[in-house]
Amino acid sequence: MSRKQTPSDFLKQIIGRPVVVKLNSGVDYRGVLACLDGYMNIALEQTEEYVNGQLKNKYGDAFIRGNNVFYISTQKRKGLMN
């Protein structure tokens, strides 16, 4: 019988992988998850900012405060997410 994966397990597995972080404001940040803490404060590398699905800015590193995060998901391949 396989054990159920917790959200914490998922987050540990995706460190170093491309992710999409959607904020409560609707803005998406896409980049490589560098690290995060128990408050969902997130550090991204190679970050791109998308507003209404359109690329607005590129950042080397970005730090996102956890209380602004709506969700975080893995990104299959660059350019495939809407």
Side-chain angles (χ1 to χ4, degrees), residues 12 25 40 45-46 50 54-55 63 74-75:
K12 288 176 187 170
S25 66
M40 283 293 289
E45 298 171 340
Q46 303 168 35
Y50 288 82
Q54 294 190 340
L55 178 63
F63 300 93
T74 56
Q75 182 177 337

Side-chain angles (χ1 to χ4, degrees), residues 6-17:
T6 66
S8 180
D9 293 336
F10 168 74
L11 292 171
K12 288 176 187 170
Q13 289 176 353
I14 64 171
I15 291 175
R17 291 182 50 196

Side-chain angles (χ1 to χ4, degrees), residues 2 15 17 19 23 28 33 39 44 46-49 51 55 57 64 66 75-78 81:
S2 66
I15 291 175
R17 291 182 50 196
V19 296
L23 304 187
D28 289 349
L33 181 62
Y39 297 102
L44 294 177
Q46 303 168 35
T47 310
E48 296 176 338
E49 178 184 45
V51 179
L55 178 63
N57 274 306
I64 302 170
Q75 182 177 337
K76 299 288 188 244
R77 272 187 258 150
K78 204 168 190 150
M81 301 300 288

Side-chain angles (χ1 to χ4, degrees), residues 16-42:
R17 291 182 50 196
V19 296
V20 177
V21 179
K22 186 164 196 87
L23 304 187
N24 294 324
S25 66
V27 175
D28 289 349
Y29 288 90
R30 302 176 192 182
V32 176
L33 181 62
C35 63
L36 69 154
D37 65 14
Y39 297 102
M40 283 293 289
N41 295 316
I42 296 169

Side-chain angles (χ1 to χ4, degrees), residues 48-73:
E48 296 176 338
E49 178 184 45
Y50 288 82
V51 179
N52 297 323
Q54 294 190 340
L55 178 63
K56 292 295 177 184
N57 274 306
K58 290 187 178 186
Y59 307 101
D61 295 329
F63 300 93
I64 302 170
R65 188 172 169 170
N67 68 333
N68 294 316
V69 176
F70 183 59
Y71 70 76
I72 180 170
S73 67

